[in-house]
Amino acid sequence: MSVRAGAGVRSLARIVARDDGRGGTALPVLESDGPLALRRTRATGSEARVMLVGAMSGPLGGDHFTVEGRVEEGARLSVGSAAATIALPGQAKGDARYDVRLEVADGAELHWLPEQLISAQGSDLRVSTRVELAATARLVLREEQVLGRVGEEPGRLTSRLTVRVAGQAVLDQELACGPGAPGGWDGPAVLAGHRAVGQLIVVRPEFAVVPVTAGVLGEGASVVPLAGPAALVTAVAPDALGLRRLLDEALASLPQT
């Protein structure tokens, strides 16, 4: 098990989901250590479900957490988290890192739906999420970030999300917020004074034939089609509850299969 030390913690969690040949999904690999703990929960139909549990506080300054997930052909996996992740200042020098690496094969489906990431005052966190999908893979991925706890200023948060379908990039974007971030992050063109920001990316093969129509989804949210079989919803809100409501409503409004 990882132990927090002066240089920070290194922690790795790995998930592999595989079609079990009986109409369900097996989890031949479910490994984690240190601050990251993976727990299998009750399956729904052919979909396996996994919960990511934070066994320690963090990530703190100097920590490096990594989550790797692979959904093999024909498998279905849903991953959530038991509680919000809170980025905190630490004794170790340097920023903290949280890397997520996901692969989804042909005919497979992944729902990646963690709880919010909260950037506490004094923290410095870099988040990187990279998703590789095969041509007929399906994805629902949600990211939610809250800048500061109640009544406090945020820490620095840099988040990059990259999604590729059949080797082609459909999304590659980065957002930096908080002290030291490039100017304008809190201005009208970005957060406009809001403290919760999130996005939802949905990849479905049928979107390549009938793209999602761009538009405004209530106050603070919009949807745009991406190159390839994907759509992106972006939302800002005063708080985490408002952000979740906007993203849930946006997902429900997208064409269902």
Side-chain angles (χ1 to χ4, degrees):
M1 177 177 293
S2 301
V3 178
R4 199 177 298 283
V9 166
R10 302 295 181 268
S11 185
L12 172 65
R14 297 179 61 238
I15 310 168
V16 175
R18 180 175 298 159
D19 185 347
D20 66 5
R22 302 187 302 274
T25 297
L27 296 173
V29 177
L30 197 64
E31 302 173 347
S32 55
D33 63 9
L36 299 176
L38 296 171
R39 299 288 183 265
R40 180 166 188 163
T41 60
R42 185 180 296 275
T44 301
S46 62
E47 180 184 76
R49 292 190 169 189
V50 173
M51 193 68 67
L52 183 61
V53 180
M56 296 170 61
S57 61
L60 310 184
D63 290 353
H64 187 182
F65 296 176
T66 303
V67 181
E68 298 177 351
R70 186 172 80 248
V71 188
E72 298 183 354
E73 188 170 349
R76 297 183 65 215
L77 175 66
S78 178
V79 180
S81 58
T85 297
I86 305 178
L88 297 165
Q91 295 181 345
K93 294 182 179 179
D95 55 19
R97 293 175 55 190
Y98 200 134
D99 295 329
V100 178
R101 302 289 179 257
L102 305 172
E103 298 178 29
V104 189
D106 275 316
E109 183 170 356
L110 172 63
H111 287 204
W112 189 264
L113 303 170
E115 294 300 308
Q116 298 89 357
L117 169 63
I118 301 173
S119 175
Q121 187 172 17
S123 64
D124 187 354
L125 176 64
R126 293 181 178 271
V127 180
S128 173
T129 302
R130 186 172 69 232
V131 189
E132 295 281 347
L133 299 120
T136 61
R138 295 175 179 272
L139 173 72
V140 177
L141 182 146
R142 181 182 69 211
E143 283 192 343
E144 298 172 310
Q145 296 155 355
V146 180
L147 305 180
R149 293 169 292 191
V150 176
E152 74 173 7
E153 292 298 311
R156 178 164 183 175
L157 176 63
T158 303
S159 176
R160 183 173 181 179
L161 173 60
T162 305
V163 179
R164 293 164 58 89
V165 178
Q168 300 298 313
V170 299
L171 179 67
D172 189 350
Q173 67 178 27
E174 182 173 287
L175 176 65
C177 304
W185 67 268
D186 201 24
V190 188
L191 296 186
H194 295 91
R195 282 296 178 262
V197 57
Q199 52 196 353
L200 184 75
I201 183 164
V202 180
V203 179
R204 295 173 179 158
E206 55 270 26
F207 287 174
V209 180
V210 183
V212 170
T213 302
V216 176
L217 302 174
E219 185 176 354
S222 64
V223 59
V224 294
L226 301 176
L232 174 68
V233 176
T234 303
V236 294
D239 55 36
L241 289 176
L243 179 65
R244 177 64 59 84
R245 177 182 56 80
L246 285 171
L247 292 178
D248 284 350
E249 291 175 354
L251 180 60
S253 73
L254 294 176
Q256 303 298 310
T257 58

